[in-house]
């Protein structure tokens, strides 16, 4: 186990370094001046590719258990299979893994963390901390604010998710289909089951036996885990739309006590990382094109839910960049949290050192 120090520069591996999320993670480590002594970018193969980090070119290595020797922190973003195969090996070698895949999120032994919501859960890790699904991530800071103030009874979320959430191939597919359409040709679909250009696909991830997609189910169960509300009633419809970057969500919430839209806007504005943009008559509300490239969660169109007449229903619109707060920013924020609080080592090792 590498020795614990709050300010020591760290050897940091990024698994999936050539992907959309991995690339964003590397840029954020530099932007946020995370203390990195050595960056180890890893991908499926080492074939001469390089990433740029703090103005230097760094060769991409091949992911393997031995690639984690001497690594303090490993940011994984290469899919669940890679995380299943390599995250335990990285943790055994003394790295803290922050995993962006769905592999460990619902494991009771693995904290699932959004620093603005449940930072203290990170202290309990045993070598792996999970980063939530992008659609869950932008939702829970707002739900937490409402739950603390007026209690949550029921949440219904409909997502409008960008193609970058599927990865680099999907971004290329949308670009290609737009060009095909402009040239008067039929678009060809390969990443998605249908053309995504000029369409809306109510299918994200595989379908479960109960008719929900796995993406929808992730929003339901991950929200409950992060908020520590195991019985919260949540439903979701997840839809892929022809937007390049940033996910949008229409959210309907039923609360235990009454709440006005003005009070909700005040509560939302007080959450770190949340920006209220809510002046519909001036056409001001959160937009994917505006949120893209930003780290904040944007919320607007806050209104009393017309389907309730007792003041206990709210509707609002939430937008955030899925590659940043929805993935890379949150992962780097978790890294900042654990180093700042001295939680890099697993909880058991810290307890042993203290006794
Ligand atoms: N995009 C989002 O908004 C988002 C949000 C939250 C979570 N996620 C999750 O993050 C992961 C990556 O997403 P992405 O958008 O960055 O995908 P992407 O652009 O398709 O990139 C995939 C990355 O994974 C690497 N990889 C593939 N197979 C590998 C293997 N066997 N060993 C090591 N690395 C391997 C690829 O390396 P090569 O270049 O060598 O193939 C590439 O670096 C996915 O699990 C996704 O579900 C994505």
């Amino acid at each position: 186990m590498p020795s614990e120090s709050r300010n020591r520069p760290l050897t940091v591996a990024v698994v999936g370094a050539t992907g959309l999320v991995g690339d964003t993670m590397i840029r954020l480590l530099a932007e946020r001046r995370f203390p990195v002594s050595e960056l180890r970018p890893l991908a499926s193969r080492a074939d001469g590719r390089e990433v740029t980090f703090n103005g230097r070119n760094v060769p991409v290595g091949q992911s393997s258990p031995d690639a984690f020797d001497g690594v303090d922190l490993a940011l994984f973003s290469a899919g669940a299979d890679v995380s299943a195969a390599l995250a335990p090996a990285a943790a055994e070698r003394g790295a803290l893994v922050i995993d962006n895949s769905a592999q460990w999120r619902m494991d009771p032994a693995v904290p699932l963390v959004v620093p603005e919501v449940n930072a203290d859960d990170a202290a309990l890790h045993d070598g792996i901390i999970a980063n939530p699904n992008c659609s869950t991530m932008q939702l829970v800071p707002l739900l937490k604010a409402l739950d603390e103030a007026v209690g949550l009874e029921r949440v219904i979320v409909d997502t409008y998710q960008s193609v970058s959430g599927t990865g680099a191939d999907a971004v290329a597919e949308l670009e290609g289909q737009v060009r095909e359409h402009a040239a008067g040709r039929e678009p060809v679909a390969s990443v998605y089951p249908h053309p995504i250009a000029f369409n809306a696909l109510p299918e994200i991830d595989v379908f479960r036996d109960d008719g929900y997609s796995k993406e929808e189910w992730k929003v339901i169960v991950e929200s409950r885990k992060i908020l520590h509300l195991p019985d919260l009633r949540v439903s979701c419809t997840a839809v892929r739309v022809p937007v390049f970057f940033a996910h949008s969500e229409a959210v309907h919430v039923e609360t235990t006590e009454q709440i006005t839209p003005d009070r909700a806007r005040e509560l939302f504005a007080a959450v770190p990382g949340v920006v209220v943009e809510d002046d519909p008559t001036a056409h001001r509300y959160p937009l994917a094109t505006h949120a893209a490239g930003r780290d904040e969660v944007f919320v607007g169109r806050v209104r009393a839910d017309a389907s309730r007449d007792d003041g206990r229903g709210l509707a609002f619109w939430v937008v955030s960049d899925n590659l940043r707060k929805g993935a890379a920013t949150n992962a780097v924020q978790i890294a900042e949290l654990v180093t700042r609080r001295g939680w890099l080592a697993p909880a058991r090792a810290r307890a042993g050192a203290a006794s």
Side-chain angles (χ1 to χ4, degrees):
M1 167 60 51
S3 65
E4 187 74 329
S5 161
R6 284 165 209 244
N7 300 312
R8 174 174 62 89
L10 304 178
T11 298
V12 179
V14 175
V15 184
T18 54
L20 287 181
V21 175
D23 172 68
T24 310
M25 284 172 165
I26 291 168
R27 282 189 286 118
L28 278 164
L29 287 168
E31 262 176 43
R32 296 173 75 98
R33 299 181 199 285
F34 190 83
V36 178
S37 54
E38 179 194 339
L39 180 78
R40 226 174 268 183
L42 302 171
S44 67
R45 57 197 187 281
D47 55 3
R49 289 176 292 176
E50 293 180 328
V51 300
T52 305
F53 179 61
N54 281 334
R56 286 183 302 113
N57 290 341
V58 186
V60 173
Q62 180 167 6
S63 302
S64 71
D66 292 346
F68 298 99
D69 284 340
V71 168
D72 301 296
L73 183 68
L75 307 180
F76 270 69
S77 193
D81 291 347
V82 177
S83 294
L86 290 176
E92 274 162 27
R93 283 165 168 77
L96 167 61
V97 172
I98 299 176
D99 184 38
N100 199 42
S101 81
Q103 179 62 30
W104 309 100
R105 289 181 191 147
M106 295 313 296
D107 185 325
V110 174
L112 179 65
V113 176
V114 179
E116 298 87 348
V117 178
N118 62 335
D120 289 348
D121 288 357
L124 307 174
H125 77 82
D126 190 23
I128 302 176
I129 297 176
N131 210 32
N133 171 269
C134 37
S135 301
T136 311
M137 190 94 70
Q138 66 188 62
L139 175 67
V140 287
L142 304 167
L143 295 186
K144 167 86 169 176
L146 292 175
D147 185 51
E148 282 184 346
V150 288
L152 285 178
E153 298 282 321
R154 185 171 183 227
V155 180
I156 296 169
V157 191
D158 298 322
T159 73
Y160 304 68
Q161 299 185 218
S162 72
V163 294
S164 59
T166 313
D169 292 349
V171 172
E173 177 148 310
L174 175 56
E175 279 169 346
Q177 288 177 357
V178 170
R179 273 196 298 271
E180 293 294 295
H181 178 85
R185 291 191 291 267
E186 273 299 300
V188 178
S190 66
V191 174
Y192 298 115
H194 307 281
I196 182 63
F198 315 104
N199 220 347
L201 309 181
E203 175 177 355
I204 301 185
D205 208 332
V206 298
F207 284 106
R208 295 159 39 94
D209 290 344
D210 60 10
Y212 279 87
S213 69
K214 259 176 83 177
E215 183 80 358
E216 293 160 350
W217 201 248
K218 287 177 211 165
V219 173
I220 295 169
V221 294
E222 291 180 21
S223 297
R224 291 175 178 155
K225 178 170 175 174
I226 296 163
L227 294 165
H228 299 180
L229 294 173
D231 300 321
L232 182 64
R233 290 188 287 158
V234 188
S235 185
C236 179
T237 299
V239 180
R240 187 74 65 191
V241 293
V243 166
F244 284 112
F245 302 104
H247 293 349
S248 305
E249 296 178 342
V251 186
H252 289 77
V253 170
E254 295 176 20
T255 55
T256 310
E257 295 166 28
Q258 291 186 333
I259 183 160
T260 63
D262 279 346
R263 174 88 174 110
R265 279 187 281 266
E266 276 171 26
L267 293 169
F268 293 157
V271 180
V274 170
V275 175
V276 177
E277 281 188 334
D278 205 7
D279 188 2
T281 53
H283 313 291
R284 188 163 170 266
Y285 33 70
L287 288 173
T289 47
H290 174 214
R294 302 274 299 266
D295 285 317
E296 301 93 330
V297 171
F298 298 89
V299 60
R301 299 288 324 279
V302 183
R303 59 208 189 274
D305 187 331
S307 69
R308 290 194 71 115
D309 55 11
D310 58 0
R312 296 199 294 123
L314 275 182
F316 48 91
W317 178 249
V318 187
V319 182
S320 193
D321 186 329
N322 51 291
L323 294 176
R324 290 184 74 104
K325 184 58 185 169
T329 303
N330 199 71
V332 176
Q333 285 175 322
I334 294 171
E336 292 168 345
L337 169 74
V338 294
T339 50
R340 191 170 60 241
R341 298 212 189 163
W343 295 341
L344 195 59
R348 271 182 299 179
R350 275 179 275 128
S355 61

